[in-house]
Structure formats: C-alpha cells, structure tokens
Amino acid sequence: MPLNREAIALNETIKKNSPAVFSLLSGRGKAIFFPKRGILSQGAEAKGKKINATIGIALEDNAETMRLPSLQKLLLVPHEAFSYAPSFGRQDVREKWRAMLFEKNPSLAGKETSLPVATIALTHGLSMAAYLFADAGDKIILPSLFWENYRLVFENAYGARLDTCLAFRQNAFNVAGLEKKLSEGKKGKKILLLNFPNNPSGYTPTVEEAKKIVEAIKKSGEAGNKILALLDDAYFGLVFEEGIEKESLFSWLADLHENILAVKIDGPTKEDFAWGFRVGFVTFGIKGGSRELYAALEAKLAGAIRGSVSNAPNISQVLLLQAQASEEYASERKQKFEILRKRYGTVKDVLAGKKFAKYFVPLPFNSGYFMCIKLNDGIDAEKVRQVLLKKYDTGVIVFGNLVRIAFSAVPNEKIPELFENIFLACAEVAE
C-alpha cells in the first residue's frame, strides 16, 4: 500500500541527514509515523480550554484525573514491585485477572481459555496480536467507526489492510454488513476486529444484536473459514442502558467453533481507571482448546513481548493486585461508574432537544466514554472545531463530518454548555 505522506516526509528527512540510517530502516520502519493531525494533536490544541471533550480518559469535576483511592494510597509499594516481571506477566496477576474475567462474564463458566498474558496495556496487546497473526496484505474486517490508532498498529506496522463495513444501518448495528464481509473472497484466513463499547461511537450491541453477530461468525467458521476474532475490550463494563449486552463477545466466541480463535484484549486502563499504569492482557479461547495449545500460544506471545519490550511494568502489576484485594475496590469502581453514567444520562437529556437537528444528529450510543454527532451536509467539521477552540474555549475531536465527544472528561454541569457551544459554532460556520 502507498506510504502515508507524513511517513514520506520523515523518510526524506532521515535520508538527507544520514543515508546510512535510512538504508537500515525496514519496510515497517519506513511506513511508521507519528500523526500530526490525529487525535493526539487535536487534543493538544484543546489543552487548557474551559471545556475539553477530546481526552480519552475520565476526569473528576475539578479536572483532576479520576482515580481509585485504594490505588492512590499504594504509591509506596513493597520491595517486590522493584524487580522485573516475567515476560508472561506476574503469575499471581494473571491468575487474578482470569478469575475476574470469569466473574464479569458468567457465560464463560465451564469453558477453557488460556491464562492471560500481560502486555503494556491494550495498544501493545493489539500490536502483539498483529505480530503473531497478521501478514502483509491480510485484511482486517471491522466496522467503519474505529479507533484511528488501528491504522498505525495494523497497516503501518504490519502491512495489513483495514477492510470496513458500514457500522450502522437504520440506527442499529449493521450485522448484515459484517456477515457479508466475512463471506467475501475465497475461503481461508479471516481476521475480524471488534471493539465494544466502541471508540469513537460509544455503542455496544443489544443482546439480540450480539447473538446475531456471534451467529454470523459461527456461520462463516462452519463454511470453512479460519477466523481470528480480535476483541478490543478497552471500555468493557461501561454499559449504561438495559437491553445492551453486558458481557464480552469472548464469552461465546471462546468455544464457538474449532475454526474460530477468539483473542480478548483488555486491561485495567479504563476498567480500573488506571490509564498511566500501562498494563493489559491478552487471552485466547477456541472450542476444544487444550492446556497444551494455550501454553504454546502463551509462549509465542511471551516471546514476542520478550523480543520487543521484555515485560510489562512490575510495579503497576503489584499495585493493581493489591488494590483489587482491598475491601474498598468494588465500591470505588461502582462510584466512578455512576459518575460516568450520570454524565451519559445528561448527554441523552440534552440531545433530546429538537433544536440541535438543525445542524447535527447523534449517532447511536449507549456505553463507554464517547459519543459522536454527525454534522449536516454543508457544515465543515474542522471549521466547527476551530471556532470552538478560538471562540468558545471548547475542544472536540473531528473525523470527516463527525464530531467525537468524550463526555467522560466533561463535568456534568458543563455538558449542556458543551452542546450549546457546538450548536453556536455550527451556526457560525453554516452562515
């Protein structure tokens, strides 16, 4: 695939200053770049604004990073936290995370999965999955609304290609489109990537939609396709409505069919409000999977980790394990969840106002940190973003004609002002 223009510019700079260094770059090295116009740069422009709905973390109403007191008080940690952790992750941490995984997903009861392997949070877990399974040219099937970092992880780093289907049809998840993608082309290897709750849309399938998704994947496996189902569960557990699937699809895919390998990529980043700890987990599941098979997969993954970053931070693993054992852990998580659910409810209430339809409509959302609005034809989203920054002291993220709003980072009382500012900025751009 053609190199991104930002990657080309970096290559030219390196070649000009040191032809020898340029000659040492691999194809992957030549393809990688740091995006100047992506979420990080847009977020940087919004830093310090009165309302900043760009950050993919949760903030308290006083703008401090949301955190659990039981984690904060453990910053003075015992001696064991200062040694290296194994490339597989600490055994006690892996066993605890697996036990919690089964507690949070009751439908896993009685099923065999691997022991989770610790990574440096979810991005690293996704990258290691790509390392193990994605060849150059492989298609990664996924809905059309996805985290922009997938391009760096799968396309630029490993040469795979994102192959999207329309995310929504008639305000519902487009199961038919996903099924069609799985049936396209010749039978063989298929890689599927699903992220629920979704970033950027904030959508999780309903219980019925989840059943249909699982059935579509099973149908493809039964037809002879070998399917790798990557499940990015970064925002797992943050479901705010009844009738929405609360378990990970891993619960059903882990023993769905002998042709379907499910890979759950998750971690405490959002589940435990511990973004900077950089700990994640990768867990494998397949029908008929034996301990021997899982041990081999764990060993391959640990080898990839050893050959890149050696191991995930031990201190973070120790802190998390101690916090999870504290009496306050469950109640503190529930308290933070309720703060986010209240903000979600306020967003729903504000958007019930009919006046906003003059300039934008919300996409379906029911969970997670984010929601998106779609601007009406003729309204330039980037111009709206610039007006918000310069005139309304407000930051948002835009892609195309969509505006992503991180309500997780906006105090509840400022949410009405946020949408009023967007409305006024749209009005100005539409003039």
Side-chain angles (χ1 to χ4, degrees):
M1 61 179 295
L3 293 182
N4 183 281
R5 62 184 181 182
E6 293 184 54
I8 293 172
L10 291 175
N11 291 343
E12 290 175 348
T13 298
I14 294 169
K15 191 173 183 178
K16 176 183 176 181
N17 288 276
S18 177
V21 171
F22 179 76
S23 70
L24 293 173
L25 288 175
S26 67
R28 291 171 182 165
K30 291 183 176 72
I32 199 68
F33 65 98
F34 189 88
K36 294 181 178 178
R37 297 304 308 157
I39 288 174
L40 295 179
S41 60
Q42 293 183 36
E45 289 179 338
K47 188 175 182 179
K49 297 300 179 182
K50 179 182 177 182
I51 297 177
N52 187 354
T54 69
I55 314 170
I57 67 172
L59 301 177
E60 300 285 5
D61 287 349
N62 65 359
E64 291 186 0
T65 305
M66 194 175 285
R67 54 191 178 268
L68 303 184
S70 59
L71 282 180
Q72 181 174 300
K73 71 182 182 183
L74 290 172
L75 288 179
L76 294 175
V77 296
H79 172 71
E80 64 177 312
F82 291 88
S83 61
Y84 282 119
S87 293
F88 290 82
R90 292 176 58 97
Q91 185 73 11
D92 49 4
V93 169
R94 298 171 67 202
E95 291 174 354
K96 177 62 175 178
W97 192 260
R98 186 179 189 274
M100 292 173 65
L101 190 154
F102 275 70
E103 289 171 9
K104 297 170 185 175
N105 297 274
S107 298
L108 277 175
K111 300 177 183 179
E112 289 293 329
T113 72
S114 75
L115 195 61
V117 173
T119 60
I120 303 182
L122 281 88
T123 302
H124 185 226
L126 289 161
S127 179
M128 290 295 93
Y131 183 109
L132 290 181
F133 300 108
D135 286 317
D138 281 349
K139 293 180 180 180
I140 312 293
I141 300 169
L142 73 168
S144 57
L145 293 175
F146 58 86
W147 184 35
E148 68 167 8
N149 206 20
Y150 288 162
R151 291 205 181 278
L152 291 182
V153 172
F154 293 100
E155 291 190 338
N156 294 96
Y158 292 98
R161 181 164 64 86
L162 301 187
D163 187 18
T164 63
C165 60
L166 190 66
F168 300 113
R169 190 176 295 277
Q170 296 179 341
N171 286 327
F173 186 77
N174 184 20
V175 180
L178 185 68
E179 184 171 3
K180 182 180 178 182
K181 279 292 180 184
L182 286 169
S183 66
E184 288 178 354
K186 62 182 181 180
K187 286 186 175 61
K189 180 180 178 181
K190 307 278 184 180
I191 302 177
L192 175 65
L193 175 56
L194 296 174
N195 166 223
F196 301 126
N198 177 262
N199 175 7
S201 71
Y203 189 81
T204 296
T206 65
V207 172
E208 287 304 311
E209 286 172 339
K211 290 178 180 177
K212 291 177 181 178
I213 292 170
V214 171
E215 187 56 38
I217 296 170
K218 183 178 182 181
K219 182 179 177 181
S220 184
E222 289 174 337
N225 290 308
K226 307 299 188 292
I227 300 173
L228 176 71
L230 301 176
L231 304 170
D232 177 353
D233 285 350
Y235 301 89
F236 176 78
L238 296 174
V239 173
F240 306 126
E241 297 277 2
E242 292 301 317
I244 307 304
E245 183 52 64
K246 290 183 169 60
E247 292 192 44
S248 168
L249 292 183
F250 185 77
S251 294
W252 295 277
L253 298 181
D255 72 337
L256 187 64
H257 193 276
E258 292 86 351
N259 284 342
I260 301 168
L261 175 62
V263 183
K264 190 178 196 296
I265 303 162
D266 56 16
T269 303
K270 278 84 176 179
E271 292 189 40
D272 290 338
F273 306 95
W275 305 274
F277 281 38
R278 310 316 295 151
V279 176
F281 297 95
V282 175
T283 308
F284 302 101
I286 189 171
K287 186 174 184 179
S290 65
R291 182 62 234 155
E292 187 176 38
L293 169 65
Y294 291 138
L297 287 171
E298 291 164 23
K300 282 186 172 290
L301 177 54
I305 293 169
R306 172 67 176 165
S308 56
V309 297
S310 188
N311 55 267
N314 192 25
I315 187 170
S316 300
Q317 295 180 58
V318 171
L319 288 171
L320 289 164
L321 189 66
Q322 292 190 17
Q324 290 161 356
S326 73
E327 294 181 359
E328 299 87 3
Y329 172 74
S331 62
E332 289 172 357
R333 290 181 76 248
K334 188 175 189 302
Q335 180 189 34
K336 303 306 181 187
F337 172 85
E338 291 301 332
I339 291 173
L340 296 179
R341 180 159 65 177
K342 183 177 181 180
R343 293 176 184 175
Y344 162 82
T346 300
V347 172
K348 295 284 283 190
D349 290 344
V350 169
L351 289 175
K354 295 182 179 180
K355 76 171 189 177
F356 297 113
K358 182 176 181 180
Y359 298 118
F360 58 81
V361 294
L363 296 185
F365 69 106
N366 52 34
S367 52
Y369 276 20
F370 311 107
M371 60 84 57
C372 287
I373 57 175
K374 180 180 180 182
L375 302 187
N376 294 346
D377 292 343
I379 302 177
D380 187 299
E382 176 60 19
K383 290 181 179 179
V384 169
R385 188 178 76 87
Q386 292 296 332
V387 171
L388 285 168
L389 288 169
K390 296 170 184 175
K391 189 171 181 178
Y392 294 97
D393 210 21
T394 298
V396 295
I397 296 294
V398 302
F399 343 77
N401 69 337
L402 297 182
V403 178
R404 190 197 76 171
I405 295 159
F407 59 81
S408 63
V410 181
N412 197 59
E413 69 271 12
K414 290 185 179 179
I415 289 174
E417 182 182 357
L418 164 63
F419 285 99
E420 183 65 20
N421 289 352
I422 296 172
F423 179 85
L424 294 173
C426 287
E428 186 170 325
V429 170
E431 289 179 356

